[in-house]
Amino acid sequence: MTKIELIKGDITKITADAIVNAANSSLLGGGGVDGAIHRAGGSAILDACVAIRNKQGKCKTGEAVITTAGNLPANYVIHTVGPVWNGGAKKEEELLRNCYINSLGLAVEHNVKTIAFPNISTGIYHYPKDRAADVAIASVKEFLETNNQTIGKVIFVCFDDENYTLYKSILEQ
Ligand code: AR6
């Protein structure tokens, strides 16, 4: 049985096999959690992202790539590109679900036992937090029920009180 854990805090401080980054399709860094991860992890992460860019181009929305975690207390960073919220009829839900499913797929491929997720798309990309929390938790549960034999723990790391309260109430149900 995989454990689902909820933490309020900074994902760059989490010790896990992999932490997930809410990146953009350039993979070259940005603000929010992306900026925090690149700052704390150092240039090895950007170097690895540039190498991926050179090989396969930009990362499409909903897709994910994996790199070293540089100086972070994790082995890998899985960079996924969440959808920008655009009213809800632009496949945002499906794309956000893909972020979680594709990140977990990469994690399994790399024998990751513990993985930490931020609240993808709920900052600069303005996905409504309540809807995003529903999608995140449902997608992770679906993946764990159907595909997983190896992941031991999934940690949802909420940076702000609103997300933490939303996740807490959904997970307690
Ligand atoms: N640890 C955990 N969560 C964090 C941290 C942190 N250190 N910092 C922020 N958050 P955002 P997005 C939360 O804006 O909406 C970047 O420029 C934050 O409170 O980081 O997917 C990228 O390059 C929010 O709940 O990501 C893209 O251009 C959540 O992380 C764009 O932002 C996501 O907020 C992606 O936007």
Side-chain angles (χ1 to χ4, degrees):
M1 266 294 277
T2 306
K3 217 175 135 193
I4 294 183
E5 209 173 279
L6 177 64
I7 289 179
K8 185 166 179 295
D10 178 351
I11 202 165
T12 66
K13 305 277 197 287
I14 300 288
T15 300
D17 294 326
I19 65 164
V20 176
N21 181 19
N24 60 63
S25 59
S26 81
L27 294 176
L28 301 180
V33 70
D34 194 8
I37 286 172
H38 279 279
R39 270 195 305 279
S43 59
I45 300 178
L46 185 60
D47 292 347
C49 286
V50 169
I52 291 169
R53 274 283 312 249
N54 291 341
K55 204 168 143 211
Q56 63 192 54
K58 289 185 175 184
C59 185
K60 294 196 185 106
T61 305
E63 293 185 356
V65 302
I66 189 164
T67 68
T68 174
N71 303 324
L72 294 171
N75 296 328
Y76 299 107
V77 175
I78 295 173
H79 307 260
T80 188
V81 182
V84 176
W85 181 258
N86 211 337
K90 297 275 196 285
K91 297 203 162 81
E92 291 95 330
E93 184 174 331
E94 183 187 330
L95 292 165
L96 186 60
R97 174 181 173 277
N98 291 347
C99 289
Y100 287 91
I101 300 286
N102 289 329
S103 296
L104 289 165
L106 267 183
V108 168
E109 271 174 48
H110 288 79
N111 202 26
V112 163
K113 308 280 187 229
T114 307
I115 179 169
F117 282 98
N119 310 131
I120 300 165
S121 283
T122 67
I124 293 161
Y125 283 176
H126 290 297
Y127 203 110
K129 289 178 180 173
D130 53 348
R131 295 190 191 208
D134 281 338
V135 174
I137 292 168
S139 310
V140 166
K141 284 191 168 168
E142 177 201 322
F143 184 93
L144 296 176
E145 279 158 17
T146 51
N147 298 290
N148 178 51
Q149 275 117 40
T150 49
I151 295 174
K153 185 155 76 173
V154 175
I155 308 168
F156 288 113
V157 183
C158 299
F159 197 61
D160 56 88
D161 290 326
E162 192 185 344
N163 267 314
Y164 182 76
T165 306
L166 283 164
Y167 272 74
K168 197 162 184 290
S169 73
I170 300 168
L171 288 169
E172 277 169 359
Q173 273 165 29

